[in-house]
Amino acid sequence: MRWWGWGEDGHSVPLPPAAEGLLRDELGADPGVRKPPVPFEQVRLPDIALPGPALEKLKATLGDDHVRVDNETRVAHAVGRSYPDLIRIRSGDATAGPDAVALPATADQVAAVLAICAEHGVAVVPFGGGTSVVGGVEPVRDGFPAAISLDLGRMAATVDVDRTSLTARLDAGLLGPEAERRLREEGVTLGHFPQSFEYSTVGGWLATRSAGQASTGYGRIDELVEAVRCVTPAGVLDTKVTPASAAGPSVRDLVVGSEGVLGVICEATLCVRPAPTARRYEGWSFASFAEGCDAFRVMKQAGATADVNRLSDEDETRLTMALGSTGSTSEKLGKRYLRMRGHEGGCLAILGFEGEEEDVEDRRRRTAALLRAGGGVSIGHRPGEAWERSRYAAPYLRDELLDRGVLVATLETATNWSNLRTLHAAVGDALRTVLSGRGTPPLVMCHVSHLYSSGASLYFTFLARQEDDALEQWRAAKTAASEAIVAGGGTITHHHAIGRDHRQWLAAESGPLGIEVLRAAKERLDPAGIMNPGKLLP
Ligand SMILES: Cc1cc2nc3c(=O)[nH]c(=O)nc-3n(C[C@H](O)[C@H](O)[C@H](O)COP(=O)(O)OP(=O)(O)OC[C@H]3O[C@@H](n4cnc5c(N)ncnc54)[C@H](O)[C@@H]3O)c2cc1C
């Protein structure tokens, strides 16, 4: 991945033609503004403070080639891929970059690296794909003189499928596309497609309790995991491969979501499904977000959902339509049809079905009947297919917006259905109030995208003209939204995890005693406290 953004050099996704006008009209952004990243030579890294004996031992254990201290590798491991991360790295600030990057190839080598770092007081930051959006991979020294990134990239060989049980044992360093390609060769799929799929890893998904875009159908990663192997400074946690167990509190679940603060997840056994032979993506329209939420709730509680279920609120729908607009005759006819049905200014929903042909058609029939009864109007396959084609485009577009001096950030939560719309309004209001108060009125939009029988997630995207102090502007917005989430009864994170950015709100989630329990586990597994300091635990 390029050091200042998303994707590889030479691959970008241009903004749609309508975007420049929209940014000017809605945000007051100056279309002439360009804020490119600084040249690589201007990126600032800290001096290498890794004790000489530690470096020598790491090299002796992993081989010289697998302990990197060059600037390119250190910068690539300095930050994750949140908006503030990108603001800082584009301005040349890699001052938190690791002293070295270690690339072990086996769980035994991971154990050896942890032992060396514990002996020499070096912080260790597990690094999967580096797509954290909560500050999870940025090295925080927290009193340690040096920090290394432990990159799982070489631990990406094993994909061992048990066709009978429909499980697969996967190495933690496998990137999404490679994991899925190897599973497809065996005729199965994990069905886990976060928007960061192209650059995130199996271990990262588990460490952050990730949810893919099709989580309603396939399940979140924590619902798909059967067993994990986690190497900690105190030894190996190897949990049993079993479909279910009543053997006390789940050690596996202590590891899942542990964000690298307890140890390094080296492999996992995950549930898979036969690869789908049929896929149907389609669009629906609702007169309002409230109507769409009710229809989605009824659908989910009736046990008849698609695999991907997304409902955009009015603002997200308006922006999606405006950016996708071609002005064609069929589009104008489509808009007139929606107006006649009272859906002008309404909400777009995308449903995606995957599976066997018969199952897909059966579920489509059942959901269609429920959505129609809830006021939904089918708008055909084109919006669904357009969404599917561009499902990984957002981070590329974000780079384009950053180039134009636009604040573009996302945050997410979840709550019960009875509270969903109140929380939606509260978080939206908090973002609008704080940013408007700073003189940069934002565009705030949201969608529901992961359904549960008791509730759903809310995923907010907000855009504004970037202030001179872009980090302070983002921090003010993030704080206001997080306070609104906590006060409004939402979880501080539905799938982005805690990292550094959400730490101060963990107590509101787990309670002080809950945090003490987690701390006690960390002290037992990581007595020297070297594992990813400054993350997860406040
Ligand atoms: C554009 C974009 C879209 C995103 N979309 C989604 C989405 O749809 N759903 C979603 O859930 N998340 C999403 N994310 C967030 C992020 O991609 C996920 O948190 C992902 O699971 C991180 O995987 P990774 O391999 O990149 O982990 P990293 O970013 O490398 O690490 C994340 C955290 O896990 C720890 N860690 C990583 N690997 C291991 C390991 N093997 N053992 C122990 N700890 C480890 C790290 O220390 C860090 O604390 C998105 C991020 C971006 C930038």
Side-chain angles (χ1 to χ4, degrees):
M1 194 166 7
R2 49 191 151 215
W3 61 270
W4 51 264
W6 197 255
E8 281 156 36
D9 282 344
H11 179 55
S12 58
V13 178
L15 286 180
E20 301 254 348
L22 200 129
L23 294 173
R24 187 189 53 233
D25 298 345
E26 301 253 351
L27 307 179
D30 177 351
V33 165
R34 287 295 177 274
K35 293 189 176 177
V38 299
F40 184 78
E41 299 67 48
Q42 289 177 22
V43 178
R44 304 177 306 282
L45 276 162
D47 292 339
I48 295 177
L50 194 62
L55 184 59
E56 289 315 311
K57 284 182 196 168
L58 288 172
K59 284 184 173 171
T61 304
L62 305 180
D64 285 4
D65 285 354
H66 303 126
V67 185
R68 307 257 173 89
V69 291
D70 59 281
N71 288 357
E72 283 75 13
T73 310
R74 290 174 70 207
V75 168
H77 292 78
V79 292
R81 285 298 177 266
S82 67
Y83 172 76
D85 287 339
L86 295 179
I87 288 292
R88 283 188 306 147
I89 200 76
R90 288 167 65 100
S91 75
D93 180 359
T95 50
D99 294 273
V101 177
L103 289 137
T106 63
D108 285 346
Q109 288 191 346
V110 170
V113 169
L114 299 191
I116 294 165
C117 290
E119 183 191 347
H120 292 276
V122 174
V124 178
V125 185
F127 190 101
T131 66
S132 168
V133 279
V134 290
V137 289
E138 176 176 331
V140 174
R141 268 68 176 181
D142 212 13
F144 292 103
I148 63 158
S149 247
L150 188 153
D151 187 318
L152 277 291
R154 289 177 69 220
M155 296 176 62
T158 307
V159 175
D160 187 7
V161 175
D162 175 346
R163 282 281 319 183
T164 308
S165 313
L166 281 178
T167 58
R169 192 164 57 84
L170 300 173
D171 275 349
L174 279 158
L175 286 163
E178 178 64 5
E180 195 58 27
R181 188 187 66 76
R182 300 269 307 274
L183 290 170
R184 293 292 171 117
E185 281 176 3
E186 304 280 337
V188 296
T189 179
L190 182 58
H192 189 74
F193 306 109
Q195 195 188 56
S196 54
F197 178 70
E198 295 166 282
Y199 292 100
S200 54
T201 61
V202 170
W205 299 338
L206 286 158
T208 58
R209 275 212 263 166
S210 154
Q213 292 167 335
S215 80
T216 306
Y218 287 97
R220 304 163 53 96
I221 203 74
D222 41 338
E223 293 167 320
L224 297 175
V225 59
E226 213 178 59
V228 287
R229 170 171 296 169
C230 180
V231 174
T232 79
V236 180
L237 286 174
D238 219 348
T239 73
K240 195 170 192 65
V241 177
T242 173
S245 164
S250 164
V251 172
R252 177 195 66 198
D253 290 348
L254 181 67
V255 170
V256 175
S258 59
E259 301 189 31
V261 307
L262 301 181
V264 181
I265 299 168
C266 291
E267 67 169 55
T269 302
L270 299 166
C271 297
V272 294
R273 291 200 198 176
T277 51
R279 304 159 61 81
R280 300 278 185 283
Y281 279 74
E282 58 190 34
W284 285 77
S285 171
F286 290 92
S288 66
F289 189 57
E291 188 181 75
C293 285
D294 280 344
F296 267 35
R297 176 181 56 77
V298 169
M299 185 174 76
K300 177 66 190 166
Q301 290 176 345
T305 54
D307 298 295
V308 172
N309 306 266
R310 288 169 74 94
L311 172 70
S312 295
D313 69 3
E314 286 83 354
D315 284 310
E316 190 171 277
T317 303
R318 185 170 59 78
L319 197 84
T320 307
M321 297 297 206
L323 291 180
S325 176
T326 59
S328 68
T329 309
S330 66
E331 191 178 297
K332 283 179 192 148
L333 287 172
K335 280 190 179 153
R336 194 184 315 156
Y337 172 67
L338 287 177
R339 200 175 311 134
M340 278 161 42
R341 303 288 303 256
H343 282 216
E344 195 179 23
C347 290
L348 174 68
I350 301 294
L351 269 72
F353 299 86
E354 302 191 351
E356 292 294 309
E357 185 74 40
E358 205 178 315
D359 161 63
V360 162
E361 286 313 315
D362 181 47
R363 283 192 290 145
R364 279 184 74 210
R365 256 193 311 278
R366 292 175 65 208
T367 51
L370 292 167
L371 293 181
R372 266 195 205 98
V377 171
S378 166
I379 51 174
H381 58 93
R382 277 204 192 146
E385 288 166 4
W387 177 83
E388 198 197 1
R389 269 196 308 279
S390 61
R391 64 193 296 178
Y392 304 127
Y396 297 93
L397 293 170
R398 179 176 60 169
D399 287 342
E400 298 288 322
L401 291 168
L402 282 164
D403 270 345
R404 287 162 177 79
V406 173
L407 157 64
V408 48
T410 63
L411 49 89
E412 36 77 61
T413 179
T415 191
N416 281 0
W417 290 112
S418 53
N419 188 41
L420 196 72
R421 282 191 291 120
T422 311
L423 188 63
H424 170 253
V427 177
D429 285 350
L431 286 166
R432 283 183 206 96
T433 304
V434 69
L435 288 166
S436 297
R438 300 175 69 90
T440 50
L443 187 56
V444 180
M445 47 199 182
C446 180
H447 62 252
V448 164
S449 50
H450 307 270
L451 310 186
Y452 307 89
S453 36
S454 57
S457 72
L458 292 168
Y459 187 94
F460 291 87
T461 304
F462 55 103
L463 297 99
R465 185 164 37 82
Q466 213 176 77
E467 291 173 21
D468 288 341
D469 192 344
L471 285 178
E472 181 45 39
Q473 180 191 28
W474 168 81
R475 194 166 291 114
K478 175 77 179 173
T479 304
S482 301
E483 297 291 350
I485 285 172
V486 170
T491 172
I492 191 62
T493 174
H494 167 263
H495 59 264
H496 281 169
I498 294 289
R500 194 196 43 209
D501 296 350
H502 290 143
R503 261 185 351 145
Q504 70 189 96
W505 292 286
L506 186 66
E509 191 94 13
S510 308
L513 186 57
I515 289 176
E516 286 312 308
V517 171
L518 294 177
R519 252 193 241 292
K522 179 167 172 72
E523 275 162 24
R524 174 64 185 88
L525 296 171
D526 175 25
I530 56 167
M531 295 308 305
N532 214 1
K535 315 295 166 53
L536 179 60
L537 294 167

